[in-house]
Amino acid sequence: MQDNTKVREITLENRKQIRKKKRRKLTWKFLLLIVAAVVAYSIYFFVNVYAATKEAHEEIDRPDNKSALREEEVDFGGDPISILLMGVDDGASGQNGRADSLIVATLNPNTKQVSLTTVPRDTKMDFTADEVDPAYVGYHKINAAYSYGSMFGYGANKLTVEKVEQLLDIPIDEYVAVNFEGFSEVVDALGGVTIDVKEPFSQKSHIKGGETFYFEKGEQKMNGEEALAFVRMRKQATNNIYSREERQRQFIKSTLKEAISTDTLFKIGELANIIGSNVKTSLSPSELFQLQKLYSSIDASEIKTYEIEGQDEKIEGIYYFIPSEEGLATISNQLKQELEL
């Protein structure tokens, strides 16, 4: 009897050990599956994003690959930098469009501070014979720099960047240009954006035959078509108290908040396709990865926003935005501080 009891005890113990070994094997198999999935997704992420950002990459043609207002090239990831964000309307022909929205972003890796400064599209600027055809020399709106740069071979992105540098007296290190088709598609890929509407208004869709959207005061979730209508409205009385520039800054902040969320990782394939087709940027794929790494944890609510003071004036039948000298100097000095110049 005693021997049989010992046999049963040994058998039970063996079974326990066997079950433990099986559990260990299952655990290791499960962990290996997770590692394999992570590796596979990382490869998928890299291939898709790298291919898209490489297709979108287009440097600014300038000496030593830096702004003329820089003594030396910036150390990307170490020095504060400025990026010009352009919303481009290519028009019906798809050529010689205009930079319908211009926002200067400054990013300081030391303080993790980000600021957004809107440059009014109607700002009056002087264009020289070196920049445009002789027939076009003189004063034009700053958003015309994109089309003139394209028309006369100077470079659409290059001329727009240089005009913003001239206005603000700061170096613009990089640019990102997004056409409005891509603008709308990015919002839809992110699942929409939520914006706190300050004043109610309505605006017709940019799509021919599209519906009219009604924006009520308060938080509102918008799809791509709605968001585009929200930022483009400028011919209604509401624009005088709730400016287009303020709405553009709100949109950028809301989009950044969505873009750095965890859910975005699962939409990277769709976003990559949109970027490749609708975005041009002087940022290389490696620089874009560095930006994501440096600023992915930033709280969008802490982004500073600035507005250039000035007034609208009608000159020879054309309305221009004329910045005040004091307001322009204040913004320029503030941005120089953030860029540690």
Side-chain angles (χ1 to χ4, degrees), residues 140-212:
H140 300 279
K141 297 178 181 182
I142 196 169
N143 72 326
Y146 190 88
S147 55
Y148 291 165
S150 175
M151 287 166 60
F152 305 125
Y154 195 92
N157 298 315
K158 180 183 179 182
L159 186 55
T160 308
V161 162
E162 290 182 1
K163 283 305 179 187
V164 173
E165 286 185 326
Q166 182 182 330
L167 176 71
L168 298 176
D169 191 31
I170 63 165
I172 299 296
D173 301 304
E174 309 288 350
Y175 78 88
V176 178
V178 185
N179 70 38
F180 280 116
E181 182 180 347
F183 175 111
S184 181
E185 290 179 4
V186 166
V187 172
D188 286 336
L190 291 173
V193 291
T194 300
I195 299 175
D196 186 9
V197 180
K198 304 296 184 185
E199 297 289 339
F201 66 91
S202 63
Q203 175 69 12
K204 190 173 175 59
S205 168
H206 69 290
I207 297 174
K208 188 176 181 180
E211 63 181 300
T212 296

Side-chain angles (χ1 to χ4, degrees), residues 18-299:
I18 290 168
R19 282 198 294 268
K20 282 182 181 179
K21 286 180 180 178
K22 284 182 178 179
R23 280 197 295 268
R24 288 195 196 102
K25 285 182 179 178
L26 285 171
T27 301
W28 278 110
K29 285 180 180 179
F30 182 67
L31 288 173
L32 286 171
L33 273 173
I34 292 175
V35 170
V38 169
V39 170
Y41 182 77
S42 298
I43 293 171
Y44 169 78
F45 178 94
F46 178 80
V47 169
N48 276 271
V49 175
Y50 186 85
T53 52
K54 189 175 181 181
E55 182 184 349
H57 186 226
E58 188 176 286
E59 283 288 354
I60 308 171
D61 181 19
R62 49 190 182 181
D64 301 321
N65 197 33
K66 68 176 183 62
S67 166
L69 299 180
R70 290 279 192 191
E71 292 184 4
E72 55 186 35
E73 191 175 350
V74 293
D75 173 19
F76 205 92
D79 296 329
I81 64 167
S82 61
I83 302 173
L84 178 61
L85 309 175
M86 294 183 268
V88 178
D89 187 350
D90 285 330
S93 67
Q95 294 181 331
N96 304 330
R98 289 184 177 237
D100 206 47
S101 63
L102 299 168
I103 296 178
V104 176
T106 63
L107 303 90
N108 190 316
N110 304 315
T111 62
K112 293 294 187 292
Q113 182 61 59
V114 175
S115 75
L116 300 174
T117 302
T118 305
V119 177
R121 68 195 289 277
D122 297 332
T123 302
K124 184 184 176 186
M125 296 293 294
D126 189 19
F127 288 74
T128 69
D130 292 331
E131 300 165 337
V132 297
D133 185 271
Y136 288 80
V137 169
Y139 290 104
H140 300 279
K141 297 178 181 182
I142 196 169
N143 72 326
Y146 190 88
S147 55
Y148 291 165
S150 175
M151 287 166 60
F152 305 125
Y154 195 92
N157 298 315
K158 180 183 179 182
L159 186 55
T160 308
V161 162
E162 290 182 1
K163 283 305 179 187
V164 173
E165 286 185 326
Q166 182 182 330
L167 176 71
L168 298 176
D169 191 31
I170 63 165
I172 299 296
D173 301 304
E174 309 288 350
Y175 78 88
V176 178
V178 185
N179 70 38
F180 280 116
E181 182 180 347
F183 175 111
S184 181
E185 290 179 4
V186 166
V187 172
D188 286 336
L190 291 173
V193 291
T194 300
I195 299 175
D196 186 9
V197 180
K198 304 296 184 185
E199 297 289 339
F201 66 91
S202 63
Q203 175 69 12
K204 190 173 175 59
S205 168
H206 69 290
I207 297 174
K208 188 176 181 180
E211 63 181 300
T212 296
F213 299 115
Y214 296 89
F215 301 100
E216 302 297 336
K217 190 172 183 178
E219 285 197 351
Q220 186 170 335
K221 186 72 174 280
M222 302 178 194
N223 63 27
E225 190 178 349
E226 290 169 325
L228 185 51
F230 174 78
V231 299
R232 295 191 79 176
M233 187 279 286
R234 64 187 180 91
K235 293 184 178 180
Q236 297 182 35
T238 305
N239 191 59
N240 296 325
I241 56 174
Y242 187 28
S243 72
R244 191 169 185 263
E245 288 75 24
E246 182 179 357
R247 283 178 276 119
Q248 287 175 354
R249 290 192 296 270
Q250 280 188 286
F251 167 77
I252 293 291
K253 290 177 71 172
S254 297
T255 304
L256 284 173
K257 184 177 180 180
E258 292 293 337
I260 61 179
S261 70
T262 306
D263 291 344
T264 304
L265 291 174
F266 301 101
K267 304 168 183 173
I268 199 65
E270 187 177 354
L271 285 168
N273 290 332
I274 295 167
I275 289 169
S277 303
N278 298 288
V279 176
K280 288 298 177 187
T281 179
S282 58
L283 292 161
S284 68
S286 61
E287 287 170 338
L288 285 167
F289 285 128
Q290 277 185 279
L291 278 182
Q292 193 278 334
K293 184 178 179 181
L294 283 168
Y295 298 98
S296 60
S297 61
I298 192 170
D299 184 348

